[in-house]
Amino acid sequence: MEGAAGAADAGQEDSSPAAQESARAEDARAEDEAGSAPARAAETIPRVVTPDSADRAAASVHERGLILRARVAIETHTAFGYVEARRLLETHARQYPRGRLAREREALLRQLR
């Protein structure tokens, strides 16, 4: 008789809390996989970095660096610092005549006059 009861139990699903939780987790995973395929596909598409955008980023870093170094040189309050700041700001003016930091460059140049 035990064999028949065992066979009947084997055909039924395990109704323990752990088994129910496992089944719910499996169902949730299946829904996630079905529902988020487009989102997952969008995440896997690599961002294209064009040479142009890389050049702009590098130029931006260089432009900020020139202004920052000029500002630091001015803050030394020495003749050498003022000469170095003017050289950096003139370099900035040649390389970035209409750069994003052109107004700051002009303001710093006014301080040196």
Side-chain angles (χ1 to χ4, degrees), residues 3-5 10 13 18 25 46 52-53 60 81 88 102:
E13 289 185 23
D52 188 41
S53 66
S60 179
L88 289 165

Side-chain angles (χ1 to χ4, degrees), residues 45-58:
I45 296 173
R47 182 172 164 250
V48 176
V49 178
T50 62
D52 188 41
S53 66
D55 290 345
R56 273 190 303 231

Side-chain angles (χ1 to χ4, degrees), residues 4-66:
D9 285 342
Q12 293 179 340
E13 289 185 23
D14 190 0
S15 61
S16 69
Q20 290 174 353
E21 182 61 32
S22 177
R24 277 194 293 263
E26 224 173 285
D27 290 344
R29 245 182 276 123
E31 287 177 19
D32 272 353
E33 288 174 5
S36 65
R40 222 182 18 248
E43 290 173 4
T44 60
I45 296 173
R47 182 172 164 250
V48 176
V49 178
T50 62
D52 188 41
S53 66
D55 290 345
R56 273 190 303 231
S60 179
V61 169
H62 185 253
E63 181 182 10
R64 280 192 309 263
L66 287 170

Side-chain angles (χ1 to χ4, degrees), residues 2 5 13 26-28 36 38 40 46 50 52 55 71-72 82 88-89 96-98 101 103-104 106 112:
E2 238 179 85
E13 289 185 23
E26 224 173 285
D27 290 344
S36 65
R40 222 182 18 248
T50 62
D52 188 41
D55 290 345
R71 192 180 310 129
V72 169
Y82 295 148
L88 289 165
L89 294 170
Y96 307 99
R98 289 180 291 279
L101 301 174
R103 290 176 124 181
E104 186 171 354
E106 294 304 318
L112 295 174

Side-chain angles (χ1 to χ4, degrees), residues 74-103:
I74 290 170
E75 290 171 359
T76 64
H77 301 288
T78 64
F80 179 77
Y82 295 148
V83 170
E84 179 66 6
R86 180 170 297 284
R87 184 188 69 76
L88 289 165
L89 294 170
E90 288 173 353
T91 298
H92 183 274
R94 277 192 310 278
Q95 293 179 357
Y96 307 99
R98 289 180 291 279
R100 290 183 178 188
L101 301 174
R103 290 176 124 181

